[in-house]
């Protein structure tokens, strides 16, 4: 049995962390049995981040380590039918979403002053008022520091939106009229694409400047609906 540790569910999504949502989607795609345990404090995980798994007596963090481990341990290869060019496309789009688009989502939720009150309510709303203000301020300061170090948040909001728009345009063009990102059946990359598009849509979050980046592309909306119906009905 695989034990999956993720943040508690929020925002009407399978998970409000793109990486947690990616991994749970992948587990469903791979048809592997798992049980979910929710953690609010990622500091308890290796690397201080979620998701993580427990499997064969090991705790493993980072989807880039977890998925290869499970592929080898469980004999799963969702990309077995891909040629080298398709694998390169898969790698490139995963990197774009995880290392660039991700920081646009972070900026939108944590640093955009118009959205921040909603984010604070989702993640800290159940805390007593004093602790809510203190802890949310500390975490936001850490997020601001990390986002500044990555670099995207140093730009004005309109530039960040424009760069996210370029990412979504690229995803939409690559998807085209296909059911899944690389063809008629889902592959590893679909877990990432679905997780990041879903988190931009953020069902229970009102942030039109960001959600419209997906809704502007009917094929991306249809893709998300298709993935949700198949894996999170």
């Amino acid at each position: 049995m695989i034990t999956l540790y993720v943040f508690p569910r929020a925002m009407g999504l399978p998970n409000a962390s793109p990486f947690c949502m990616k991994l749970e989607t992948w587990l469903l795609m791979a048809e592997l049995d798992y049980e979910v345990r929710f953690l609010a404090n990622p500091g308890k995980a290796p690397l201080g981040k979620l998701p993580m798994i427990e499997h064969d007596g090991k705790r493993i963090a980072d989807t880039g380590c977890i998925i290869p481990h499970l592929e080898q341990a469980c004999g799963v290869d969702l990309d077995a039918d891909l040629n080298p060019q398709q694998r390169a496309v898969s790698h490139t789009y995963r990197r774009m979403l995880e290392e660039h688009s991700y920081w646009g989502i972070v900026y939108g939720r944590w640093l955009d002053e118009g959205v921040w009150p909603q984010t604070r309510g989702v993640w800290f709303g159940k805390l007593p008022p004093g602790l809510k203000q203190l802890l949310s301020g500390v975490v936001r300061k850490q997020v601001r520091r990390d986002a500044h170090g990555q670099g995207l948040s140093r730009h004005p909001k309109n530039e960040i939106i424009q760069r996210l728009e370029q990412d979504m345009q690229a995803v939409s063009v690559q998807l085209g009229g296909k059911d899944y990102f690389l063809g008629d059946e889902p592959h590893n990359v679909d877990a990432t694409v679905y997780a990041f598009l879903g988190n931009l849509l953020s069902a229970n979050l009102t942030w039109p400047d960001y959600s419209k980046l997906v809704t502007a592309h009917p094929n991306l909306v249809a893709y998300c609906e298709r993935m949700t119906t198949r894996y999170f009905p």
Side-chain angles (χ1 to χ4, degrees):
M1 176 64 71
I2 299 161
T3 304
L4 171 65
Y5 292 86
V6 292
F7 290 107
R9 304 201 190 283
M11 297 183 183
L13 297 165
N15 206 280
S17 157
F19 292 98
C20 290
M21 183 168 164
K22 167 193 171 181
L23 183 56
E24 186 165 8
T25 302
W26 185 88
L27 287 166
L28 291 166
M29 290 166 58
E31 299 181 348
L32 297 178
D33 292 332
Y34 67 96
E35 62 176 3
V36 176
R37 294 186 184 176
F38 297 117
L39 279 181
N41 181 8
K44 297 179 180 180
L47 307 181
K49 293 184 177 183
L50 294 176
M52 74 169 178
I53 64 164
E54 285 183 348
H55 183 247
D56 287 343
K58 300 177 182 177
R59 282 193 167 189
I60 306 169
D62 191 320
T63 60
C65 298
I66 294 169
I67 291 175
H69 165 82
L70 293 175
E71 285 177 328
Q72 183 175 10
C74 303
V76 175
D77 186 358
L78 300 180
D79 290 347
D81 63 327
L82 298 185
N83 62 41
Q85 183 180 24
Q86 290 171 315
R87 290 174 183 271
V89 169
S90 173
H91 174 85
T92 301
Y93 276 87
R94 289 201 312 268
R95 281 289 187 267
M96 179 189 76
L97 291 167
E98 294 178 3
E99 304 295 341
H100 183 264
S101 306
Y102 169 76
W103 290 103
I105 295 173
V106 168
Y107 173 86
R109 288 181 176 174
W110 292 84
L111 304 180
D112 187 320
E113 296 297 339
V115 180
W116 164 241
Q118 295 181 71
T119 303
R120 181 172 55 190
V122 167
W123 293 108
F124 307 98
K126 295 182 179 180
L127 297 175
L131 183 58
K132 171 184 175 181
Q133 182 174 358
L134 175 63
L135 187 57
S136 66
V138 169
V139 175
R140 194 186 192 203
K141 183 177 180 179
Q142 293 173 341
V143 170
R144 189 183 301 276
R145 176 202 64 198
D146 293 346
H148 186 79
Q150 188 273 340
L152 185 62
S153 71
R154 301 184 189 208
H155 296 279
K157 176 180 173 179
N158 66 314
E159 176 69 18
I160 295 170
I161 293 290
Q162 183 179 9
R163 294 192 181 195
L164 279 173
E165 187 175 28
Q166 291 167 346
D167 289 356
M168 294 304 105
Q169 175 67 21
V171 173
S172 177
V173 169
Q174 171 58 32
L175 176 63
K178 300 186 295 295
D179 283 348
Y180 300 99
F181 201 66
L182 293 172
D184 295 333
E185 291 297 327
H187 296 85
N188 281 344
V189 66
D190 287 285
T192 300
V193 174
Y194 171 57
F196 280 81
L197 295 185
N199 269 268
L200 271 170
L201 284 170
S202 289
N204 290 349
L205 193 65
T206 304
W207 62 340
D209 290 343
Y210 302 89
S211 59
K212 73 180 181 182
L213 297 172
V214 178
T215 59
H217 303 280
N219 66 331
L220 298 187
V221 175
Y223 170 83
C224 286
E225 292 173 350
R226 191 177 302 117
M227 289 288 290
T228 299
T229 299
R230 182 163 180 169
Y231 296 110
F232 295 97

